[in-house]
Amino acid sequence: MANSQIESGAPITLQELYPSSPFYMEARSLRVTGLLKGYSVETAIGVIEDGEKSLKINTQHLRDVSFRVGSIYQFIGELHIEPNNEARTGRNVDGIDMNLYRKTVELLRRFLEVEEDNRNMVE
């Protein structure tokens, strides 16, 4: 029987999502944050942007989230290389300092790497 446990979304910036990135894998669970540049009610597809990078998000399974172009949103879901990424949760995070958020993601990743190294040394 397949493992049905849902992975937590790894926090990443859109700048870290490129073909040779360790995060760029089919069905990888990710948490992404960006400015909503466009949204189609008919297709439930939104486009978020952070700096020069953008990402299409399929929001068809989200409930109780009203989308406003120009607001900042955070989505957790699985990466699908083609055609769109499917969010399992989303929220408006207007007011977030994106520069501070990027630094926090970087520091969190470093901390988790050190923790993993420490666990491996104990075993």
Side-chain angles (χ1 to χ4, degrees):
M1 187 169 164
N3 185 359
S4 62
Q5 184 176 359
I6 297 175
E7 285 185 48
S8 63
I12 68 162
T13 64
L14 294 184
Q15 288 78 10
E16 296 174 295
L17 200 55
Y18 50 89
S20 62
S21 164
F23 303 107
Y24 196 82
M25 294 185 299
E26 183 67 27
R28 175 79 192 254
S29 197
L30 302 174
R31 179 183 343 161
V32 295
T33 305
L35 180 74
L36 188 67
K37 293 301 283 185
Y39 185 76
S40 168
V41 175
E42 293 82 23
T43 63
I45 302 293
V47 176
I48 61 169
E49 189 175 88
D50 181 13
E52 298 295 315
K53 301 291 184 176
S54 64
L55 185 67
K56 284 185 178 181
I57 306 284
N58 183 337
T59 65
Q60 69 180 354
H61 298 297
L62 302 185
R63 301 289 179 259
D64 300 324
V65 180
S66 63
F67 294 103
R68 290 188 322 265
V69 171
S71 287
I72 300 174
Y73 289 87
Q74 187 171 76
F75 297 98
I76 300 173
E78 282 60 50
L79 177 67
H80 296 292
I81 308 302
E82 291 295 329
N84 298 308
N85 302 293
E86 194 164 297
R88 61 174 184 250
T89 186
R91 64 182 177 167
N92 182 308
V93 290
D94 277 346
I96 192 170
D97 181 327
M98 289 300 290
N99 289 324
L100 184 58
Y101 177 75
R102 286 185 211 100
K103 288 177 186 174
T104 302
V105 168
E106 180 182 331
L107 290 171
L108 175 63
R109 191 164 302 119
R110 280 194 227 158
F111 172 78
L112 293 174
E113 287 171 0
V114 169
E115 283 293 303
E116 182 67 26
D117 290 345
N118 289 341
R119 265 185 278 190
N120 291 337
M121 291 173 66
V122 172
E123 294 175 357

